[in-house]
Amino acid sequence: MGYPFLLKSLQRLILLIGLCQAYTSESNQEKAVRDLLIRLIPDVYSSFEITVDPTIFNDDQISFKILKTSENSTVKITGNSGVAAAWGVHHYLRNFCNCHISWDGDQLKLPEILPNASVELRSADRYRYYQNVCTFGYSSAWWNWSRWEREIDWMALQGINLPLAFIGQEAIFKRVFNNLGLSDAELEEFFVGPAFLPWGRMGNIRGWGGPLSDSWHIRTVKLQHKILNRMRSFGMKPVLPAFAGFVPRNISRIYPDHEVAKAERWNNFDDKYCCPSLLHPEDPLFAQIGERFISEMTKEWGTDHFYNCDMFNEIRPVNDTPEYIRSVGQSVFTGMKLADSKAIWVMQGWLFTDRGFWTEERAKALLTSVPSGKMIVLDLNSDGSPFYKKFDSYYGQPFIWNTLHNFGGTSGMYGYLDSIGMRYGEYNEFTDRAWLLLKRSLYSNMEPSYRARFLPITQRPSLGYVPSIFYNVEDVILAWDNLYEVSNKFKGIKPFMHDLVDVSRQVLQDMFSLQYLFVVHSYKQRKMHDLRTSSKTLLKILYDMDTILNTNQQFMLGPWIESAKAAAPLEEKSQFEYNARNQITLWGPRGEIVDYAAKQWGGLVMDYYIPRWTLFVDTLRECLINNSTFDKDKFRQKVFTNVEQPFTFSKKIYPVEPIGSTLHALEQIYETWRPFYTSNVAIYRKLTKKLKEKRMQRKKKNGKRNQL
């Protein structure tokens, strides 16, 4: 399947190092933006006039103009693409109408008379990339078309024109491998389950959570058609997958004389689920499969000539010489260009986080293995750990500056803000004060190594945690005070209600971290009374957290599990539910990456974290009674057997609609924990200070280690 390729005279197409990109007509792009307006603001969409004119600035940046000159005139928005026009819509709604559109919900209270405006804006960049490969496991594994439609609208409004489009590729690989002679049974040992697809694609695991049925392949191929059609209707250039060299183990049955190796073991997965076969890069079969895959894929979906491929995601090459690494890069790109002479390789730079392996010589061998301009590197964590500085701006290959919001889709507020957007539609001194307090605390993180997922509350209980608190907890409490003060005023605003639950969750998380230190201290001092008291408080925090989380759908376990079941035919619902439960808890059959994708969700707190921590404090009390010491290994096995593994196999049904009122739950929680914090503020200040000192000591040690 293809789509119209319309050429305009002289350089109507954007060029990237001689690459002609696919083009969608201006009228189709205009219609796409008008349809977006109907979905977004159905009551006033006719007040906007959309025009797509690629010549408005005569360059290849993302550009738009906004003009409204009188009370009765329409808002005229002209963009040099559908994406640019949609970005202009968002700019007008946000900056002139005080609206807010986000993943957390929208605030679209437009004024009765739309404001006049005159704006011209050009982006500083040619491409705005969105998503990374892991998002398709941690966030969008179960999305249906309705959810994807919403996400693509959001992309367009943000000016995204280079989105990753990875759905359905296993169906294409199945066709290719079947044509090579591999049976469906042999592919069952290769393809992983829906919640783990990103790591199967990158050669980290095989078979885990699978197999994939024909019904899954049919569903995802159809879904990818819708996704790509909608993306292209805005003028986006979707990035499709490519072949990285990983093949089923039984490839040797068909090609016994071809050289294959096992990929490196990843995170201690057993051989049953790890280490797919990897073709030797100089074997002609490598490029042949790469060509067949892209040819089959473009026959199904068309192409915009951008292809993502990651061969060394958290696994090292089987041969560490620069010559071998260069040959892998050459073989990957050869497979692309044999099928598409205009191919551009889009490669994530995450592999370079393995600092011990990726020397400048090895990195250069990979990055220069393809012609200059034929690779775009995604510097994934530019705001935290940029690698373009270390590798001489990737030795001439274009790269895109990126930011990672979190790891594993985990909960926890942190980041760095140098400006504050108000989300609630109007100025208010309390919300303004709350965000200023959050800005100087949770959103003032300047430590690249900090990750909000390393929190005692969502980790398997143990005695040795040092809670990651780099900020002043008192500022978070004061922000909570201010949001609580105006909670009735803004109760109808979705972004506010999201933030109210999130900040309440954060407060309880911080209090849990500090209370955990009391529990450990009481145990180590062998003080039974103090241990009982502190343990009771610790668990009470969790029960109250579960209550407040369950009042907002975005913080509930039910939607995640039910969307997994909804994506499956009847005979696969159990398998898909197991995928969903395992990913956010054990992440592997034996807890290979336990708690990596932990979530603070209502239902999960009640049935997973509370039982774990209850078992932990009960074990500590038994140790004091029996005058014994805490056995970490014995406890790990006990909590795995009694809590963690049973949760992954459970079939308990969780609600998908909120339970109770956020404001009612908040009132009870605030009246309990605000005075509790006040009465313990001196101790909490002392503990927070000690935690900061420990973090600084650890930071200095890590700095010395990195220098070595």
Side-chain angles (χ1 to χ4, degrees):
M1 170 190 158
Y3 62 97
F5 288 78
L6 301 178
L7 302 181
K8 299 210 77 160
S9 59
L10 294 171
Q11 303 302 315
R12 175 61 59 97
L13 293 180
I14 299 173
L15 298 178
L16 171 66
I17 321 297
L19 170 69
C20 254
Q21 294 186 14
Y23 186 79
T24 302
S25 71
E26 287 92 336
S27 60
N28 284 344
Q29 294 182 56
E30 290 168 358
K31 182 181 184 302
V33 181
R34 285 194 295 269
D35 290 345
L36 184 158
L37 284 167
I38 293 171
R39 292 189 293 273
L40 188 67
I41 44 175
D43 296 334
V44 295
Y45 76 92
S46 59
S47 299
F48 290 78
E49 182 180 330
I50 302 298
T51 302
V52 172
D53 179 3
T55 66
I56 57 172
F57 287 113
N58 291 314
D59 62 19
D60 54 8
Q61 310 304 98
I62 309 168
S63 313
F64 65 79
K65 295 180 180 179
I66 303 173
L67 185 64
K68 186 179 188 296
T69 56
S70 66
E71 180 177 321
N72 296 320
S73 65
T74 58
V75 182
K76 297 180 179 180
I77 299 178
T78 302
N80 63 352
S81 67
V83 164
W87 185 34
V89 168
H90 184 237
H91 182 90
Y92 179 80
L93 293 176
R94 182 186 62 193
N95 294 284
F96 291 88
C97 303
N98 295 323
C99 292
H100 182 82
I101 302 164
S102 75
W103 295 317
D104 309 327
D106 301 337
Q107 183 282 113
L108 290 167
K109 296 190 301 182
L110 277 72
E112 290 186 13
I113 299 174
L114 295 178
N116 292 342
S118 180
V119 176
E120 292 186 2
L121 189 61
R122 300 160 74 181
S123 69
D125 37 42
R126 179 183 302 174
Y127 294 115
R128 288 186 168 186
Y129 173 81
Y130 178 59
Q131 305 246 15
N132 76 49
V133 294
C134 296
T135 306
F136 292 84
Y138 290 134
S139 299
S140 59
W142 317 115
W143 286 2
N144 56 20
W145 168 240
S146 176
R147 181 62 184 84
W148 269 110
E149 182 176 52
R150 160 76 185 183
E151 193 73 7
I152 297 168
D153 283 352
W154 181 90
M155 293 181 202
L157 291 164
Q158 303 298 324
I160 303 297
N161 64 353
L162 195 68
L164 192 61
F166 256 34
I167 300 295
Q169 61 178 281
E170 283 69 31
I172 307 300
F173 273 116
K174 181 178 185 298
R175 296 177 196 173
V176 173
F177 288 141
N178 281 161
N179 287 337
L180 290 175
L182 287 160
S183 68
D184 288 351
E186 289 170 323
L187 294 183
E188 286 185 1
E189 298 178 359
F190 181 68
F191 290 137
V192 299
F196 305 99
L197 286 173
W199 302 276
R201 293 163 180 169
M202 295 183 290
N204 301 123
I205 52 177
R206 64 186 185 96
W208 172 243
L212 297 176
S213 67
D214 287 342
S215 61
W216 170 264
H217 294 313
I218 292 169
R219 173 187 179 273
T220 54
V221 167
K222 289 180 179 178
L223 180 58
Q224 179 77 329
H225 272 293
K226 290 183 176 181
I227 291 169
L228 293 174
N229 288 341
R230 181 60 57 82
M231 287 177 172
R232 288 165 177 159
S233 73
F234 287 112
M236 297 178 187
K237 306 299 177 188
V239 180
L240 296 174
F243 177 62
F246 300 108
V247 292
R249 291 268 186 96
N250 286 337
I251 194 78
S252 297
R253 177 181 64 79
I254 303 167
Y255 298 98
D257 298 328
H258 290 246
E259 183 179 350
V260 296
K262 278 187 180 181
E264 185 184 50
R265 188 179 303 276
W266 184 71
N267 279 300
N268 294 315
F269 271 83
D270 283 343
D271 187 68
K272 181 180 180 180
Y273 297 119
C274 88
C275 319
S277 291
L278 178 63
L279 290 173
H280 193 283
E282 295 179 358
D283 188 328
L285 187 61
F286 193 119
Q288 290 170 17
I289 294 177
E291 179 187 12
R292 289 189 188 189
F293 174 75
I294 290 181
S295 296
E296 184 68 31
M297 178 174 61
T298 55
K299 184 170 65 176
E300 181 70 47
W301 295 316
T303 185
D304 297 84
H305 313 299
F306 292 92
Y307 305 98
N308 172 270
C309 188
D310 298 297
M311 311 81 60
F312 307 126
N313 177 69
E314 298 178 0
I315 54 175
R316 294 181 174 183
V318 296
N319 183 320
D320 64 3
T321 65
E323 292 74 22
Y324 175 84
I325 293 168
R326 182 178 294 107
S327 67
V328 173
Q330 290 170 340
S331 295
V332 167
F333 187 67
T334 297
M336 293 180 189
K337 71 179 182 180
L338 285 173
D340 183 353
S341 62
K342 300 172 184 175
I344 292 287
W345 179 0
V346 180
M347 186 186 78
Q348 292 192 144
W350 187 253
L351 73 166
F352 299 127
T353 58
D354 185 354
R355 299 171 188 268
F357 180 83
W358 287 102
T359 61
E360 292 185 37
E361 184 182 20
R362 288 171 179 152
K364 188 173 184 178
L366 177 61
L367 293 163
T368 60
S369 64
V370 302
S372 180
K374 288 294 186 177
M375 174 187 283
I376 297 176
V377 181
L378 304 174
D379 195 71
L380 276 189
N381 198 15
S382 305
D383 58 338
S385 298
F387 284 97
Y388 65 88
K389 296 179 180 178
K390 177 179 179 180
F391 297 126
D392 193 19
S393 293
Y394 296 113
Y395 307 104
Q397 297 289 15
F399 69 92
I400 296 177
W401 193 99
N402 289 252
T403 187
L404 290 174
H405 296 175
N406 61 50
F407 296 81
T410 52
S411 309
M413 299 173 69
Y414 79 105
Y416 175 69
L417 292 178
D418 56 6
S419 63
I420 297 175
M422 293 311 293
R423 290 157 53 86
Y424 314 136
E426 62 181 83
Y427 171 80
N428 180 275
E429 62 175 309
F430 291 100
T431 58
D432 192 59
R433 193 180 302 129
W435 276 98
L436 286 170
L437 287 161
L438 293 174
K439 178 182 182 294
R440 81 181 191 192
S441 55
L442 292 164
Y443 292 116
S444 66
N445 177 44
M446 295 296 288
E447 298 182 30
S449 61
Y450 177 78
R451 299 182 185 181
R453 67 182 177 88
F454 295 123
L455 306 165
I457 195 169
T458 53
Q459 299 296 296
R460 181 181 278 162
S462 185
L463 287 174
Y465 293 126
V466 178
S468 297
I469 298 178
F470 64 88
Y471 46 88
N472 187 347
V473 173
E474 203 162 344
D475 282 344
V476 183
I477 299 289
L478 293 173
W480 193 39
D481 291 340
N482 281 277
L483 294 179
Y484 179 76
E485 187 69 28
V486 291
S487 54
N488 274 298
K489 175 179 174 60
F490 290 102
K491 62 184 178 183
I493 306 299
K494 282 187 177 180
F496 177 83
M497 296 306 289
H498 172 278
D499 295 346
L500 191 62
V501 172
D502 204 16
V503 173
S504 300
R505 179 208 53 73
Q506 183 70 36
V507 167
L508 294 174
Q509 170 192 294
D510 289 342
M511 295 185 73
F512 182 95
S513 293
L514 297 172
Q515 193 64 30
Y516 160 79
L517 297 176
F518 288 152
V519 170
V520 172
H521 179 77
S522 300
Y523 164 75
K524 289 182 176 179
Q525 296 296 314
R526 319 296 287 182
K527 295 181 178 179
M528 178 64 81
H529 178 268
D530 291 350
L531 178 59
R532 286 196 178 114
T533 303
S534 57
S535 298
K536 183 178 180 180
T537 303
L538 189 82
L539 297 177
K540 170 63 174 167
I541 292 171
L542 290 176
Y543 280 107
D544 283 350
M545 178 181 282
D546 190 80
T547 298
I548 191 81
L549 293 173
N550 271 317
T551 66
N552 188 296
Q553 191 178 53
Q554 292 184 314
F555 296 91
M556 297 173 67
L557 173 62
W560 172 253
I561 290 181
E562 292 306 313
S563 63
K565 290 154 66 175
L570 182 63
E571 64 273 14
E572 293 175 290
K573 289 188 184 296
S574 178
Q575 175 197 350
F576 282 27
E577 180 174 359
Y578 178 78
N579 267 245
R581 287 171 174 267
N582 182 273
Q583 188 214 79
I584 60 175
T585 54
L586 287 175
W587 215 124
R590 298 177 294 108
E592 283 80 354
I593 324 177
V594 63
D595 299 320
Y596 184 90
K599 307 290 191 294
Q600 292 177 38
W601 283 344
L604 189 62
V605 172
M606 179 63 71
D607 290 344
Y608 189 71
Y609 298 124
I610 288 177
R612 289 208 305 191
W613 284 99
T614 299
L615 184 61
F616 176 70
V617 296
D618 286 348
T619 302
L620 294 184
R621 285 197 290 266
E622 290 174 5
C623 288
L624 294 191
I625 292 170
N626 298 325
N627 196 28
S628 59
T629 57
F630 179 75
D631 188 321
K632 182 179 179 180
D633 293 333
K634 185 181 292 184
F635 176 79
R636 183 188 296 119
Q637 185 58 48
K638 188 175 182 180
V639 76
F640 174 84
T641 303
N642 294 349
V643 178
E644 295 167 346
Q645 190 178 56
F647 175 85
T648 65
F649 289 113
S650 173
K651 293 295 183 289
K652 179 178 177 178
I653 296 174
Y654 293 90
V656 296
E657 297 297 330
I659 302 172
S661 159
T662 296
L663 297 187
H664 178 68
L666 174 65
E667 183 177 5
Q668 293 182 323
I669 290 169
Y670 187 85
E671 289 178 358
T672 299
W673 296 108
R674 188 57 177 96
F676 182 86
Y677 180 85
T678 301
S679 64
N680 291 279
V681 66
I683 302 173
Y684 282 157
R685 284 174 180 167
K686 187 180 296 185
L687 285 173
T688 303
K689 183 179 179 182
K690 287 184 177 179
L691 288 174
K692 288 180 180 178
E693 290 172 353
K694 286 185 177 181
R695 283 186 61 79
M696 291 305 296
Q697 292 171 1
R698 194 163 55 215
K699 188 178 177 182
K700 288 180 180 178
K701 287 182 180 179
N702 290 339
K704 291 180 180 178
R705 191 179 299 120
N706 288 336
Q707 289 175 359
L708 295 173

PDB file of all heavy atoms in Angstrom, residues 350-364:
ATOM      1  N   TRP A 350      21.187   5.145  23.087  1.00  0.00           N
ATOM      2  CA  TRP A 350      21.176   4.564  24.427  1.00  0.00           C
ATOM      3  C   TRP A 350      22.304   3.557  24.630  1.00  0.00           C
ATOM      4  O   TRP A 350      22.782   3.364  25.751  1.00  0.00           O
ATOM      5  CB  TRP A 350      19.826   3.896  24.691  1.00  0.00           C
ATOM      6  CG  TRP A 350      19.655   3.425  26.096  1.00  0.00           C
ATOM      7  CD1 TRP A 350      19.675   2.137  26.551  1.00  0.00           C
ATOM      8  CD2 TRP A 350      19.461   4.249  27.258  1.00  0.00           C
ATOM      9  NE1 TRP A 350      19.489   2.102  27.910  1.00  0.00           N
ATOM     10  CE2 TRP A 350      19.355   3.383  28.369  1.00  0.00           C
ATOM     11  CE3 TRP A 350      19.366   5.623  27.456  1.00  0.00           C
ATOM     12  CZ2 TRP A 350      19.162   3.867  29.674  1.00  0.00           C
ATOM     13  CZ3 TRP A 350      19.168   6.100  28.755  1.00  0.00           C
ATOM     14  CH2 TRP A 350      19.078   5.219  29.836  1.00  0.00           C
ATOM     15  N   LEU A 351      22.740   2.899  23.573  1.00  0.00           N
ATOM     16  CA  LEU A 351      23.813   1.917  23.705  1.00  0.00           C
ATOM     17  C   LEU A 351      25.062   2.524  24.335  1.00  0.00           C
ATOM     18  O   LEU A 351      25.834   1.828  25.015  1.00  0.00           O
ATOM     19  CB  LEU A 351      24.169   1.312  22.347  1.00  0.00           C
ATOM     20  CG  LEU A 351      24.930   2.159  21.315  1.00  0.00           C
ATOM     21  CD1 LEU A 351      25.465   1.258  20.196  1.00  0.00           C
ATOM     22  CD2 LEU A 351      24.092   3.251  20.714  1.00  0.00           C
ATOM     23  N   PHE A 352      25.278   3.832  24.144  1.00  0.00           N
ATOM     24  CA  PHE A 352      26.495   4.458  24.644  1.00  0.00           C
ATOM     25  C   PHE A 352      26.496   4.653  26.158  1.00  0.00           C
ATOM     26  O   PHE A 352      27.509   5.099  26.722  1.00  0.00           O
ATOM     27  CB  PHE A 352      26.722   5.797  23.940  1.00  0.00           C
ATOM     28  CG  PHE A 352      26.899   5.661  22.450  1.00  0.00           C
ATOM     29  CD1 PHE A 352      26.124   6.402  21.565  1.00  0.00           C
ATOM     30  CD2 PHE A 352      27.830   4.777  21.923  1.00  0.00           C
ATOM     31  CE1 PHE A 352      26.278   6.271  20.195  1.00  0.00           C
ATOM     32  CE2 PHE A 352      27.994   4.629  20.554  1.00  0.00           C
ATOM     33  CZ  PHE A 352      27.210   5.376  19.689  1.00  0.00           C
ATOM     34  N   THR A 353      25.362   4.329  26.819  1.00  0.00           N
ATOM     35  CA  THR A 353      25.358   4.386  28.287  1.00  0.00           C
ATOM     36  C   THR A 353      26.261   3.314  28.893  1.00  0.00           C
ATOM     37  O   THR A 353      26.596   3.392  30.071  1.00  0.00           O
ATOM     38  CB  THR A 353      23.927   4.226  28.843  1.00  0.00           C
ATOM     39  OG1 THR A 353      23.376   2.984  28.390  1.00  0.00           O
ATOM     40  CG2 THR A 353      23.029   5.373  28.378  1.00  0.00           C
ATOM     41  N   ASP A 354      26.627   2.317  28.092  1.00  0.00           N
ATOM     42  CA  ASP A 354      27.622   1.319  28.525  1.00  0.00           C
ATOM     43  C   ASP A 354      29.008   1.949  28.354  1.00  0.00           C
ATOM     44  O   ASP A 354      29.748   1.662  27.413  1.00  0.00           O
ATOM     45  CB  ASP A 354      27.491   0.049  27.694  1.00  0.00           C
ATOM     46  CG  ASP A 354      28.414  -1.068  28.179  1.00  0.00           C
ATOM     47  OD1 ASP A 354      29.233  -0.816  29.097  1.00  0.00           O
ATOM     48  OD2 ASP A 354      28.336  -2.181  27.630  1.00  0.00           O
ATOM     49  N   ARG A 355      29.347   2.832  29.288  1.00  0.00           N
ATOM     50  CA  ARG A 355      30.566   3.631  29.171  1.00  0.00           C
ATOM     51  C   ARG A 355      31.832   2.768  29.192  1.00  0.00           C
ATOM     52  O   ARG A 355      32.854   3.143  28.632  1.00  0.00           O
ATOM     53  CB  ARG A 355      30.628   4.660  30.310  1.00  0.00           C
ATOM     54  CG  ARG A 355      29.459   5.638  30.307  1.00  0.00           C
ATOM     55  CD  ARG A 355      29.459   6.493  31.564  1.00  0.00           C
ATOM     56  NE  ARG A 355      28.264   7.304  31.681  1.00  0.00           N
ATOM     57  CZ  ARG A 355      28.166   8.553  31.224  1.00  0.00           C
ATOM     58  NH1 ARG A 355      29.197   9.120  30.637  1.00  0.00           N
ATOM     59  NH2 ARG A 355      27.041   9.231  31.372  1.00  0.00           N
ATOM     60  N   GLY A 356      31.732   1.623  29.864  1.00  0.00           N
ATOM     61  CA  GLY A 356      32.904   0.764  29.952  1.00  0.00           C
ATOM     62  C   GLY A 356      33.273   0.123  28.626  1.00  0.00           C
ATOM     63  O   GLY A 356      34.408  -0.320  28.450  1.00  0.00           O
ATOM     64  N   PHE A 357      32.324   0.044  27.723  1.00  0.00           N
ATOM     65  CA  PHE A 357      32.598  -0.601  26.434  1.00  0.00           C
ATOM     66  C   PHE A 357      32.802   0.396  25.301  1.00  0.00           C
ATOM     67  O   PHE A 357      33.727   0.267  24.497  1.00  0.00           O
ATOM     68  CB  PHE A 357      31.457  -1.556  26.058  1.00  0.00           C
ATOM     69  CG  PHE A 357      31.682  -2.243  24.741  1.00  0.00           C
ATOM     70  CD1 PHE A 357      32.459  -3.377  24.663  1.00  0.00           C
ATOM     71  CD2 PHE A 357      31.141  -1.725  23.566  1.00  0.00           C
ATOM     72  CE1 PHE A 357      32.704  -3.998  23.439  1.00  0.00           C
ATOM     73  CE2 PHE A 357      31.365  -2.335  22.338  1.00  0.00           C
ATOM     74  CZ  PHE A 357      32.152  -3.478  22.281  1.00  0.00           C
ATOM     75  N   TRP A 358      31.932   1.408  25.235  1.00  0.00           N
ATOM     76  CA  TRP A 358      31.928   2.272  24.057  1.00  0.00           C
ATOM     77  C   TRP A 358      32.992   3.355  24.152  1.00  0.00           C
ATOM     78  O   TRP A 358      32.762   4.474  24.561  1.00  0.00           O
ATOM     79  CB  TRP A 358      30.532   2.860  23.832  1.00  0.00           C
ATOM     80  CG  TRP A 358      29.601   1.808  23.312  1.00  0.00           C
ATOM     81  CD1 TRP A 358      28.658   1.139  24.020  1.00  0.00           C
ATOM     82  CD2 TRP A 358      29.570   1.269  21.983  1.00  0.00           C
ATOM     83  NE1 TRP A 358      28.034   0.209  23.226  1.00  0.00           N
ATOM     84  CE2 TRP A 358      28.569   0.264  21.973  1.00  0.00           C
ATOM     85  CE3 TRP A 358      30.298   1.518  20.816  1.00  0.00           C
ATOM     86  CZ2 TRP A 358      28.274  -0.479  20.819  1.00  0.00           C
ATOM     87  CZ3 TRP A 358      29.996   0.783  19.664  1.00  0.00           C
ATOM     88  CH2 TRP A 358      29.002  -0.191  19.670  1.00  0.00           C
ATOM     89  N   THR A 359      34.180   2.946  23.752  1.00  0.00           N
ATOM     90  CA  THR A 359      35.287   3.892  23.632  1.00  0.00           C
ATOM     91  C   THR A 359      35.052   4.756  22.390  1.00  0.00           C
ATOM     92  O   THR A 359      34.198   4.452  21.544  1.00  0.00           O
ATOM     93  CB  THR A 359      36.613   3.147  23.476  1.00  0.00           C
ATOM     94  OG1 THR A 359      36.557   2.357  22.268  1.00  0.00           O
ATOM     95  CG2 THR A 359      36.867   2.235  24.666  1.00  0.00           C
ATOM     96  N   GLU A 360      35.821   5.814  22.252  1.00  0.00           N
ATOM     97  CA  GLU A 360      35.687   6.668  21.073  1.00  0.00           C
ATOM     98  C   GLU A 360      35.969   5.882  19.799  1.00  0.00           C
ATOM     99  O   GLU A 360      35.310   6.073  18.768  1.00  0.00           O
ATOM    100  CB  GLU A 360      36.628   7.872  21.187  1.00  0.00           C
ATOM    101  CG  GLU A 360      36.237   8.846  22.296  1.00  0.00           C
ATOM    102  CD  GLU A 360      37.110  10.082  22.314  1.00  0.00           C
ATOM    103  OE1 GLU A 360      37.474  10.554  21.224  1.00  0.00           O
ATOM    104  OE2 GLU A 360      37.426  10.563  23.412  1.00  0.00           O
ATOM    105  N   GLU A 361      36.938   4.966  19.853  1.00  0.00           N
ATOM    106  CA  GLU A 361      37.290   4.194  18.666  1.00  0.00           C
ATOM    107  C   GLU A 361      36.138   3.303  18.220  1.00  0.00           C
ATOM    108  O   GLU A 361      35.810   3.231  17.025  1.00  0.00           O
ATOM    109  CB  GLU A 361      38.536   3.354  18.945  1.00  0.00           C
ATOM    110  CG  GLU A 361      39.049   2.588  17.726  1.00  0.00           C
ATOM    111  CD  GLU A 361      40.260   1.728  18.041  1.00  0.00           C
ATOM    112  OE1 GLU A 361      40.479   1.416  19.232  1.00  0.00           O
ATOM    113  OE2 GLU A 361      40.973   1.362  17.094  1.00  0.00           O
ATOM    114  N   ARG A 362      35.501   2.621  19.179  1.00  0.00           N
ATOM    115  CA  ARG A 362      34.391   1.732  18.827  1.00  0.00           C
ATOM    116  C   ARG A 362      33.166   2.525  18.364  1.00  0.00           C
ATOM    117  O   ARG A 362      32.494   2.150  17.399  1.00  0.00           O
ATOM    118  CB  ARG A 362      34.035   0.856  20.028  1.00  0.00           C
ATOM    119  CG  ARG A 362      35.075  -0.216  20.329  1.00  0.00           C
ATOM    120  CD  ARG A 362      34.787  -0.894  21.646  1.00  0.00           C
ATOM    121  NE  ARG A 362      35.754  -1.948  21.935  1.00  0.00           N
ATOM    122  CZ  ARG A 362      36.094  -2.331  23.161  1.00  0.00           C
ATOM    123  NH1 ARG A 362      35.530  -1.741  24.222  1.00  0.00           N
ATOM    124  NH2 ARG A 362      36.981  -3.283  23.337  1.00  0.00           N
ATOM    125  N   ALA A 363      32.879   3.611  19.092  1.00  0.00           N
ATOM    126  CA  ALA A 363      31.732   4.430  18.707  1.00  0.00           C
ATOM    127  C   ALA A 363      31.915   5.000  17.303  1.00  0.00           C
ATOM    128  O   ALA A 363      30.984   4.994  16.482  1.00  0.00           O
ATOM    129  CB  ALA A 363      31.531   5.558  19.716  1.00  0.00           C
ATOM    130  N   LYS A 364      33.097   5.468  17.017  1.00  0.00           N
ATOM    131  CA  LYS A 364      33.369   6.043  15.697  1.00  0.00           C
ATOM    132  C   LYS A 364      33.235   4.983  14.605  1.00  0.00           C
ATOM    133  O   LYS A 364      32.739   5.269  13.501  1.00  0.00           O
ATOM    134  CB  LYS A 364      34.765   6.660  15.664  1.00  0.00           C
ATOM    135  CG  LYS A 364      35.053   7.445  14.389  1.00  0.00           C
ATOM    136  CD  LYS A 364      36.387   8.187  14.473  1.00  0.00           C
ATOM    137  CE  LYS A 364      36.619   9.039  13.235  1.00  0.00           C
ATOM    138  NZ  LYS A 364      37.897   9.798  13.317  1.00  0.00           N
TER     139      LYS A 364
END
